[in-house]
């Protein structure tokens, strides 16, 4: 009789805890989505406003492009510290710190008096933006059980749906109807609201025990953060100039690669590394990282090709090109919402490779169509939509699958590794496709080669995706 009562109590416990867990998860997701929308909108708005900023500060466009580069480099430098910061001060405090840095950087950027000050203040924004994604993702993963992980991660994909569609339109309206300062001032009310929500809704962190709190791996930090920044800088310079052998691109790339390699060697030996690379011993996590490496390299690298083709090869205006590219972002976001929920019920090995194949076919169709004269524009957009559907099936479901089975104490390290992986390979893809396009020329042959290379990278992601679990969650 006592055994029956114990069994009944045990089976009832999850049901009793579920509502409280659901409420905590819902509050966390609401906060993280608000902060992520702000960050994604900021990046897309600033990209649209580069020409206006160049005119406002009487600076060449090459100088103003450093506002985007400085943000990216600061992002890469701070991401490796996310797991340590959460272990030291707690996830809630780390997230609040990230929000303060991002909002303060936005205010300072709006007050910039020349190009140099704007670049510096964008770096402050990048320090906050670099922590928002890994810390936010960690909080969601800790609050979601395995059965709800896909649905929770699907909601985190909403900013990817909103940002690419609304950002260019909002940025164009702000710079045309108001002034360049408003592309940064618009972040202030959103940042303040997110801070208030985070302070009220996020569960308080348990006080850290000084004896058990992780120590900052200073040697690892001095290797990985500068290494990533130099590597991304070198790749960016090589992509812009179309030549990776130029000293301005080759030297920082080699230096960054050497520092990153030294970090990897050290991280596998020390007890408390800045980034726990032993996560790669987990077969599912390693397969997810490899899948995302190939896929983000091809997918995010190709994002510069669509607007460039529509404007330079087809002679459309920037506004018209933006409207034609927006449906692709919509396709990615909508499909991601569906696929991220399905990965809770369908074997990842069936779902994710299928999405990679669809994306590769869409990219291959883009290569064929953009490399042919006289093709109707709607056919090029349709090929992009097919690619977007495949991308939505792959991106967030792969992140969910990679981290679902990890213990809670390793979630921070996992989200940090996923963020670094995406940032690095997106930069590699952008540089690679820029060089391919520049080497052949902005014409049918160049677009065919660049889109074709992207299609090959997407197809290669199928190989590690086949090593993902063949069972349901």
């Amino acid at each position: 009789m006592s055994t029956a009562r114990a069994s009944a109590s045990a089976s009832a416990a999850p049901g009793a805890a579920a509502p409280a867990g659901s409420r905590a998860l819902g509050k966390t997701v609401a906060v993280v989505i608000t902060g992520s929308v702000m960050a994604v909108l900021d990046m897309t708005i600033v990209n649209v406003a580069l020409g206006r900023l160049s005119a406002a500060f009487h600076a060449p466009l090459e100088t103003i492009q450093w506002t985007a580069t400085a943000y990216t480099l600061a992002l890469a430098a701070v991401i490796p510290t996310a797991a340590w910061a959460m272990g030291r001060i707690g996830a809630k405090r780390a997230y609040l710190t990230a929000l303060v840095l991002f909002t303060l950087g936005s205010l300072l950027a709006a007050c910039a008096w020349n190009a140099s000050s704007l670049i510096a203040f964008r770096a402050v924004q990048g320090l906050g933006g670099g922590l928002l994604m890994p810390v936010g993702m960690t909080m969601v993963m800790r609050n979601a059980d395995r059965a709800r992980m896909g649905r929770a991660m699907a909601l985190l994909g909403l900013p990817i749906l909103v940002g690419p569609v609304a950002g260019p339109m909002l940025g164009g309206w702000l710079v045309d109807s108001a002034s360049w300062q408003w592309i940064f001032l618009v972040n202030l009310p959103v940042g303040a609201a997110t801070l208030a929500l985070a302070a009220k809704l996020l569960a308080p962190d348990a006080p850290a025990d000084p004896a058990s709190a992780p120590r900052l791996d200073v040697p690892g930090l001095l290797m990985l953060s500068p290494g990533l920044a130099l590597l991304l800088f070198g790749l960016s310079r090589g992509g812009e100039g179309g030549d990776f052998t130029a000293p301005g691109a080759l030297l920082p790339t080699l230096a960054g690669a050497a520092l990153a390699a030294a970090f990897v060697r050290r991280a596998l030996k020390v007890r408390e590394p800045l980034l726990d690379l032993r996560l790669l011993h987990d077969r599912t996590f390693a397969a997810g990282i490899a899948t995302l490496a190939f896929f983000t390299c091809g997918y995010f690298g190709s994002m510069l090709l669509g607007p460039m083709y529509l404007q330079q090869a087809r002679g459309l205006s920037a506004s018209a090109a933006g409207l034609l590219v927006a449906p692709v972002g919509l396709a990615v976001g909508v499909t991601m919402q569906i696929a991220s929920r399905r990965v809770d019920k369908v074997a990842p090995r069936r779902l994710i490779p299928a999405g990679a194949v669809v994306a590769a076919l869409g990219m291959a169709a883009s290569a064929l169509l953009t490399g042919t004269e006289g093709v109707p524009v709607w056919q090029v957009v349709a090929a992009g939509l097919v690619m977007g559907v495949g991308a939505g099936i792959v991106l967030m479901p792969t992140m969910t699958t990679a981290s679902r089975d990890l213990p809670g104490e390793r979630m921070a390290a996992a989200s940090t590794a996923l963020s670094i992986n995406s940032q690095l390979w997106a930069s590699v893809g952008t540089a690679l496709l820029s060089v391919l396009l520049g080497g052949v020329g902005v014409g049918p042959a160049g677009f065919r080669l660049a889109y074709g290379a992207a299609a090959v990278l997407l197809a290669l992601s199928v190989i590690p995706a086949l090593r993902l679990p063949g069972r349901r969650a």
Side-chain angles (χ1 to χ4, degrees):
M1 191 72 175
S2 60
T3 304
R5 282 195 299 267
S7 299
S9 300
S11 62
S22 298
R23 286 194 296 270
L25 177 60
K27 292 176 181 179
T28 303
V29 167
V31 172
V32 174
I33 287 176
T34 308
S36 298
V37 165
M38 176 179 65
V40 172
L41 280 176
D42 178 80
M43 286 190 288
T44 53
I45 288 173
V46 171
N47 289 338
V48 170
L50 290 178
R52 180 60 61 88
L53 292 172
S54 176
F57 291 112
H58 306 289
L61 189 59
E62 292 78 9
T63 300
I64 292 299
Q65 284 177 336
W66 271 94
T67 58
T69 303
Y71 183 92
T72 302
L73 296 183
L75 199 82
V78 77
I79 284 175
T81 67
W84 169 82
M86 284 183 275
R88 192 73 183 181
I89 64 174
K92 179 177 180 177
R93 295 184 184 91
Y95 197 76
L96 290 172
T97 301
L99 287 171
V100 169
L101 283 172
F102 191 90
T103 308
L104 177 61
S106 300
L107 176 60
L108 293 173
C111 299
W113 55 90
N114 58 24
S116 298
S117 61
L118 178 63
I119 292 168
F121 296 146
R122 281 285 287 166
V124 176
Q125 267 191 306
L127 294 176
L131 289 175
L132 282 176
M133 177 57 104
V135 177
M137 187 184 298
T138 300
M139 292 189 298
V140 171
M141 290 192 299
R142 284 176 175 173
N143 280 282
D145 55 33
R146 290 184 62 201
R148 293 181 295 169
M149 181 74 81
R151 282 170 284 178
M153 296 293 277
L155 293 173
L156 291 190
L158 285 174
I160 300 174
L161 169 62
V162 174
V165 176
M169 293 186 287
L170 178 59
W173 178 75
L174 287 172
V175 296
D176 289 339
S177 303
S179 66
W180 67 265
Q181 286 91 345
W182 279 99
I183 66 175
F184 302 111
L185 291 174
V186 71
N187 292 329
L188 300 187
V190 183
T194 310
L195 274 168
L197 285 173
K200 182 176 182 179
L201 298 181
L202 294 181
D205 297 305
D209 181 5
S212 61
R215 295 180 180 179
L216 180 61
D217 178 17
V218 176
L221 179 64
L222 295 178
M223 292 177 189
L224 186 56
S225 290
L228 286 174
L230 285 169
L231 190 57
L232 296 183
F233 174 73
L235 291 170
S236 176
R237 291 295 298 270
E240 291 170 4
D243 184 9
F244 285 114
T245 62
L250 182 61
L251 293 179
T253 300
L254 291 177
L259 284 170
F263 170 80
V264 170
R265 181 180 178 185
R266 183 177 186 279
L268 294 174
K269 294 181 178 180
V270 298
R271 185 175 180 180
E272 292 185 354
L274 182 69
L275 184 63
D276 186 8
L277 297 181
R278 297 180 185 89
L279 283 168
L280 295 175
H281 291 162
D282 183 280
R283 173 178 169 172
T284 300
F285 188 79
I289 283 283
T291 301
L292 289 169
F294 284 114
F295 199 89
T296 55
C297 189
Y299 171 67
F300 288 106
S302 70
M303 292 186 75
L304 82 160
L305 299 177
M308 192 176 296
Y309 169 77
L310 293 170
Q311 292 179 69
Q312 299 193 23
R314 304 306 292 259
L316 299 177
S317 66
S319 299
L323 288 174
L324 288 173
V325 171
V328 178
L330 191 63
V332 175
V334 171
T335 308
M336 187 181 295
Q337 293 302 304
I338 299 170
S340 296
R341 288 169 170 79
R342 291 297 299 165
V343 82
D344 285 337
K345 302 176 181 178
V346 177
R349 193 185 299 167
R350 293 174 54 192
L351 180 69
I352 294 170
V357 170
V358 170
L361 290 174
M363 196 73 78
S366 296
L368 179 63
L369 293 169
T370 57
T372 304
E373 297 282 359
V375 171
V377 171
W378 71 264
Q379 293 185 9
V380 178
V381 175
L385 288 173
V386 173
M387 184 274 298
V389 168
I393 296 174
V394 173
L395 289 171
M396 201 60 79
T398 305
M399 290 189 181
T400 303
T401 303
S403 54
R404 189 197 303 272
D405 291 333
L406 296 174
E409 64 272 13
R410 306 190 80 181
M411 289 296 187
S415 64
T416 302
L418 289 168
S419 298
I420 291 175
N421 186 60
S422 297
Q423 186 69 41
L424 175 62
W425 289 105
S427 298
V428 170
T430 300
L432 173 63
L433 298 188
S434 296
V435 169
L436 291 176
L437 183 63
V440 178
V442 183
F447 283 111
R448 178 178 292 174
L449 177 62
Y451 272 115
V456 170
L457 288 167
L458 298 185
L460 287 173
S461 70
V462 175
I463 299 172
L466 291 172
R467 295 181 61 83
L468 293 170
R471 66 184 191 282
R472 297 181 182 180

